Amino acid sequence: MPSEEFDSAAASFKRIGQDAVTHSRRVAGNALARTRRHHSENVELLKRSGRGAKSGDPTPGTLRAAAERFRRARGLAVPSVPDPADPVPSRSQSPARPPRSGDDEEDFSQMRIMKRDG
């Protein structure tokens, strides 16, 4: 009978749709839970790292050790840490470049270029 097949197909379609909705809700819930967990971990890391605190060491030793473990576990290169006694000079301490010679003689104004081409 065609109506029994139609009813069976409609019930199957409805069940598949409900299963899809259930699955999507579960996936969305898991993603939301993971996002919340990462957010709370980030907040905790910010608290432990002393965000906003000014210290002599830009990266605390615990964070540096965690970064080294992460890199070694993935086979990545671990850069050597510069000695804090040898600070890198800031840009304000770098010597100023002397002016180039002949800068006063060069005129790149639009009128001069137009006259030269004409």
Side-chain angles (χ1 to χ4, degrees):
M1 302 189 107
S3 67
E4 288 179 19
E5 289 178 20
F6 177 77
D7 291 340
S8 174
S12 175
F13 181 74
K14 183 177 179 182
R15 186 175 59 255
I16 291 171
Q18 288 172 341
D19 290 346
V21 169
T22 301
H23 176 73
S24 67
R25 286 181 180 161
R26 186 179 321 122
V27 169
N30 290 342
L32 183 61
R34 187 172 50 245
T35 299
R36 287 182 180 153
R37 187 179 73 242
H38 287 303
H39 178 73
S40 65
E41 289 172 358
N42 288 343
V43 168
E44 184 61 31
L45 286 172
L46 286 172
K47 286 179 185 176
R48 282 194 284 156
S49 70
R51 181 179 180 183
K54 302 291 182 193
S55 66
D57 187 13
T59 307
T62 55
L63 293 177
R64 187 180 318 272
E68 287 179 10
R69 283 193 310 273
F70 176 85
R71 289 181 173 149
R72 289 186 202 287
R74 286 158 181 78
L76 301 172
V78 179
S80 62
V81 179
D83 186 22
D86 300 329
V88 177
S90 68
R91 289 182 179 220
S92 62
Q93 295 174 349
S94 62
R97 266 193 305 183
R100 294 185 340 204
S101 63
D103 279 349
D104 297 334
E105 299 168 7
E106 296 177 10
D107 181 13
F108 292 107
S109 66
Q110 187 175 3
M111 289 304 293
R112 170 123 185 212
I113 294 171
M114 290 174 63
K115 287 180 183 177
R116 186 178 68 193
D117 292 340

